Amino acid sequence: MRVVVIGAGVAGLALARGLLLAGHDAEVYEEATEPRTAGGSVTLWPGSTAILKELKVDLAGIGRRLETMESWDGAGRPLFTVDLTAAERRFGHPTVHIARRELVELLADGVPVAYGARAEHVVPERAEVRLADGDTVRGDVLVGADGRRSTVRAALWGDDPAGLSGWVTWQGFATRPTALTEQRRAIMIPGARGLCGLIPAGRGRLLWWFDVRSATGRPFWADDPHVVARLRERFAGWPDPVPAVLEGLADADFFPHHRHRVPSAWGRGPVTLAGDSAHTMPPTMAQGANQALEDAWLLTRSIGDLRGYERARSKVVRRPARLAATEVTNVQRIFAGLIPDRLATRMYAAWLRGASNYLLTAS
């Protein structure tokens, strides 16, 4: 079967890779003129690391295997700790934090991608796409994996359904050594002024991010040339290693959080969607890349039944999308510390299974 994939992000590359391994003819068309490796890093839960293994993506020596996920109060005292090794033992695969650049490069290896090929017009009934250079590509199946501003989705759904949630993330990598850089702990510190998150990403890098509330429709500090000073002021006095991270900031990337209701049907005829094109959600549950990999895994196996793929995925992906839309991690200080660590660990492992078609099928 010939499958045309629009978009060379995590969803598009993983899908094409899976299809090629399954013996299909897959081609990827990407608007950017080079691989889209910008961004911070992603946490890959056990279902995703299992899927990557099936895709013959070797994570050995890449990123950082995580053992705990912790929430601290403003003095640096633990509120709760989730033992991620419990999920690793239960599902047989680890949780790994990896730079997005490295994940994209691994997925792209051996996958045919046409860069600088912007999709301009889509004819869903014929699985046909006219590119900006005038060329037309057609497949037996067309998959829109072209992100939140998807051209393929626009041809199917019309207007962009996503709206702002009222939160914005500022993020980057700290390369100065800290007490956490070489550890295997993911840390979240919620407070009245926002949330700071810290996760080691391997190779001497520590991902930092600051989530702050924003007036809906207006990204917080988006046009402020003094954003680093703003972050230092807002999060001054937070526990170590936050002061060291703030001191080392030179610049910060930002993105506003978007969310929308996930419908049961994503496409029609020989066309479907994958990744953010189908289910944009805030990053608060670290599910964007994971759900993209879930899409790729199930769609590879359901390429002859697109509506069946959509029904099965929408039923599962709604769970993390709805929870992420509440921005629950950003307001966790309200309930953090009320649940014993052992119960929190069991609940989190169960939640990971419920958010994964792969784990639900395999276990």
Side-chain angles (χ1 to χ4, degrees), residues 27-49:
E27 297 178 354
V28 182
Y29 295 85
E30 167 57 43
E31 177 179 358
T33 56
E34 58 187 14
R36 292 196 285 117
T37 55
S41 46
V42 296
T43 300
L44 301 171
W45 305 110
S48 292
T49 54

Side-chain angles (χ1 to χ4, degrees), residues 168-170 193 210-215 218-235 252 254:
V168 171
T169 291
W170 296 88
R193 310 197 77 185
F210 295 98
D211 285 353
V212 295
R213 285 190 182 275
S214 169
R218 184 183 177 194
F220 204 68
W221 304 329
D223 302 316
D224 191 333
H226 307 294
V227 62
V228 170
R230 299 281 192 188
L231 288 170
R232 287 174 177 158
E233 177 184 4
R234 190 176 187 88
F235 292 94
F254 88 95

Side-chain angles (χ1 to χ4, degrees), residues 149-169:
R149 299 180 180 85
S150 171
T151 299
V152 179
R153 187 196 58 225
L156 296 166
W157 297 9
D159 294 338
D160 183 356
L164 293 170
S165 76
W167 286 83
V168 171
T169 291

Side-chain angles (χ1 to χ4, degrees), residues 51 59 114 127 157 161 184 230 270 287 300 318 337 339 359 363:
I51 289 169
L59 295 178
W157 297 9
R184 301 183 183 277
R230 299 281 192 188
Q287 283 292 320
T300 296
R318 280 197 192 109
I339 302 175
L359 294 179
S363 59

Side-chain angles (χ1 to χ4, degrees), residues 262-267 272-273 278-279 291 294-303 305-320 353-361:
V262 179
S264 298
W266 301 351
T272 192
L273 302 173
H279 42 70
Q291 294 304 321
E294 293 279 345
D295 289 347
W297 175 78
L298 188 59
L299 183 50
T300 296
R301 286 153 182 74
S302 309
I303 200 66
D305 181 13
L306 301 185
R307 303 295 85 78
Y309 150 76
E310 293 165 7
R311 287 191 299 271
R313 281 296 295 133
S314 63
K315 182 179 179 181
V316 171
V317 77
R318 280 197 192 109
R319 298 166 187 165
R353 179 177 181 271
S356 167
N357 287 83
Y358 180 92
L359 294 179
L360 285 167
T361 301

